[in-house]
Amino acid sequence: MSAGKGTEKKISTPLSDSVIRGLAAGCRVLISGVVYTARDAAHKRMFEIAERGGEMPFDFAGQIVYYAGPSPTRPGAAIGSIGPTTSGRMDAYSPTLIRLGLKAMIGKGLRSDEVRRAITTHCGVYLVAVGGAGALISRSVKSASVIAFPELGTEAIRLLEVEDFPAIVAIDSSGNDIYRNAAP
Amino acid sequence: MMEIDASLVSVAVARLCVEANYDIAPDIAEAFKRARDAEDGGLARRVMDDLLENAAIASEGALPLCQDTGMAVVFVEIGQDVHVAGSLTDAINEGVRRGYEDGFLRKSVVSDPVARVNTKDNTPAVIHYDIVPGDSLSITVAPKGFGSENMSALSMLKPSDGLEGVKKFVVETVRKAGPNPCPPIVVGVGVGGTMDYACLLAKKALLRSVGSPNPDAFWDEAERDLLGRINALGIGPAGLGGHTTALAVFIAPYPTHIAGLPVAVNIGCHSTRHGTARL
């Protein structure tokens, strides 16, 4: 039984395949657990690691990557503003990472057919957060630490501990795409 | 001759960078409320509520509205009776450096477009100078996020394409952008001039206040028609469907060559930000 448009579901990481199959395009989710930030530069590096068969900066099993580069953290705060960046720029790298076990991605905007195919083949899910709501989203981040590529600054890979991080299922494991249904 | 010390320019630019990124403009906040009320419900209304809450959190918590605090685009109108003591360009970049560092704003600029090494202080800014009559200096800082910048486009239309050709290109550019530029968007359109100048007109058009009419009745009517056509696309807030895809369309026309009809579309996200200081 999958949850679709208008419904809301709490999920925790790591994500099992059965939880992923229960998420339908249009469903709102509140994520608790861990998500890893990675955007353009970190994706390029992970792709290069994949090409030479190296070890990834973190174990992909059941994990979520968040396409985000936060603004600097004020003293005493967990994180700065941290909304999603445009996912399409990661399309060149995502199918390879999904093939290597990455389960879920959070971003904003359209994905390529190749990414959608990789999601359906490997039981993945593409989630979107509200673009430009970086201050609001920062409230659901409880802690952040850089775990790889610190020299990339905002583009480093960060482990975020999140509680009720709000997102919407945009492409579900069956390949349904909310953007294709939204526009007439 | 009015003498202005360059250090005053740095102070003003730093302040404008911070204010533009923390505080939603009143015209945008009003447009958000109208958009929320215009939506039937569901995800569209929810997204507009989220954006209003986001603006409140940003302002109270001294957090940027969006983590993409942009590349600093600076428009300078310098009175021809003004003399700036020191380098004006250096002073503007120093202001950007300080504003982005002291204001906890993200440094998003890379030194070379292919080598891509972060300059770590968000400089250099993109600066446009205009010489105007008078003895004052006006500085506008418009931090530009790239989710929307990347969805912008230019077309060198034929004169025979006319107004309908212009409109079709604008609507098509917005349709192709879909959810990517963080709708509801602000659409800046430059029509005429040369290839480069059409782009500058489009960028400058984004500085207008949402709700302000075009001073030219012909172009005002074109703006209204385009806003209707764009909102009929159904892309909606965050691209999740709805009535509000754009908050405003601003068109800036300029004389052009007998052989051409350049049209530039610069898309601004819902965090279209700018602030002005006069020295």
Side-chain angles (χ1 to χ4, degrees):
Chain A
M1 178 81 182
S2 65
K5 206 158 188 159
T7 62
E8 185 169 287
K9 217 172 195 185
K10 285 185 180 254
I11 57 173
S12 301
T13 63
L15 303 176
S16 66
D17 282 5
S18 68
V19 165
I20 290 172
R21 279 194 209 96
L23 302 173
C27 173
R28 192 167 182 274
V29 293
L30 296 170
I31 305 160
S32 294
V34 164
V35 302
Y36 294 90
T37 65
R39 48 170 296 156
D40 305 60
H43 270 77
K44 183 164 188 279
R45 295 230 186 150
M46 287 194 288
F47 185 77
E48 286 161 2
I49 290 171
E51 280 191 317
R52 62 171 188 267
E55 194 180 338
M56 286 298 162
F58 61 97
D59 183 359
F60 281 180
Q63 299 304 327
I64 305 177
V65 156
Y66 180 25
Y67 301 146
S71 65
T73 308
R74 279 186 184 273
I79 194 80
S81 199
I82 184 159
T85 195
T86 308
S87 307
R89 295 195 313 275
M90 269 49 80
D91 282 357
Y93 309 123
S94 293
T96 298
L97 301 186
I98 293 168
R99 208 157 44 240
L100 290 172
L102 185 69
K103 278 296 175 186
M105 301 147 282
I106 311 172
K108 69 171 168 92
L110 306 167
R111 303 310 304 260
S112 66
D113 289 338
E114 288 73 21
V115 172
R116 198 172 51 250
R117 268 199 296 275
I119 285 171
T120 53
T121 306
H122 300 277
C123 187
V125 64
Y126 169 52
L127 307 163
V128 292
V130 174
L136 176 67
I137 292 168
S138 74
R139 289 277 172 99
S140 60
V141 177
K142 300 304 159 193
S143 75
S145 52
V146 172
I147 60 145
F149 316 139
E151 65 281 7
L152 295 180
T154 186
E155 294 202 71
I157 296 185
R158 285 173 173 77
L159 183 156
L160 306 181
E161 287 182 308
V162 299
E163 198 177 302
D164 290 339
F165 180 108
I168 293 153
V169 179
I171 301 178
D172 63 28
S173 56
S174 306
N176 299 303
D177 185 337
I178 190 175
Y179 293 129
R180 299 195 173 205
N181 304 334
Chain B
M1 179 70 73
M2 172 70 87
E3 182 91 8
I4 295 175
D5 196 273
S7 66
L8 294 177
V9 172
S10 301
V11 171
V13 168
R15 176 175 62 79
L16 291 171
C17 289
V18 171
E19 287 176 0
N21 273 299
Y22 287 5
D23 302 322
I24 192 169
D27 58 314
I28 301 274
E30 280 309 306
F32 277 6
K33 287 176 196 154
R34 283 197 301 275
R36 180 192 54 193
D37 295 343
E39 294 296 346
D40 306 323
L43 283 175
R45 190 179 273 253
R46 167 114 213 177
V47 169
M48 293 316 301
D49 278 333
D50 281 354
L51 294 182
L52 283 160
E53 195 186 345
N54 183 66
I57 292 170
S59 177
E60 285 162 21
L63 267 169
L65 289 155
C66 177
Q67 74 291 337
D68 185 355
T69 52
M71 186 166 195
V73 178
V74 183
F75 294 95
V76 182
E77 286 184 357
I78 181 163
Q80 58 195 30
D81 298 325
V82 170
H83 175 254
V84 175
S87 162
L88 181 52
T89 300
D90 288 352
I92 290 167
N93 281 314
E94 178 57 23
V96 169
R97 193 172 289 124
R98 270 190 238 161
Y100 276 73
E101 188 54 39
D102 298 348
F104 292 84
L105 304 179
R106 197 179 76 182
K107 289 75 181 174
S108 309
V109 173
V110 292
S111 59
D112 179 280
V114 172
R116 307 195 78 78
V117 177
N118 198 300
T119 63
K120 296 196 161 69
D121 62 6
N122 221 52
T123 68
V126 172
I127 309 172
H128 302 287
Y129 291 105
D130 228 343
I131 296 172
V132 298
D135 63 356
S136 68
L137 181 66
S138 167
I139 303 172
T140 296
V141 176
K144 189 66 173 76
F146 259 56
S148 53
E149 193 72 0
N150 282 337
M151 296 296 112
S152 303
L154 168 81
S155 184
M156 303 302 284
L157 297 180
K158 296 183 190 75
S160 61
D161 292 325
L163 180 63
E164 190 51 32
V166 170
K167 287 178 175 175
K168 276 188 179 153
F169 178 66
V170 174
V171 173
E172 188 55 17
T173 301
V174 172
R175 192 192 60 75
K176 272 195 224 156
N180 291 5
C182 289
I185 56 176
V186 178
V187 185
V189 184
V191 186
T194 47
M195 179 258 252
D196 54 317
Y197 201 66
C199 293
L200 179 58
L201 290 169
K203 177 76 75 206
K204 267 189 167 171
L206 293 177
L207 301 178
R208 256 174 65 193
S209 266
V210 174
S212 67
N214 193 301
D216 181 312
F218 174 81
W219 290 108
D220 191 60
E221 174 53 33
E223 287 178 0
R224 286 166 196 277
D225 181 51
L226 268 174
L227 185 60
R229 289 200 209 182
I230 287 169
N231 284 334
L233 291 172
I235 294 167
L240 298 170
H243 303 302
T244 317
T245 299
L247 301 173
V249 178
F250 297 138
I251 304 176
Y254 194 80
T256 190
H257 189 277
I258 49 174
L261 179 50
V263 185
V265 181
N266 194 200
I267 298 183
C269 60
H270 59 70
S271 277
T272 294
R273 305 156 286 199
H274 49 88
T276 300
R278 189 171 286 276
L279 300 178

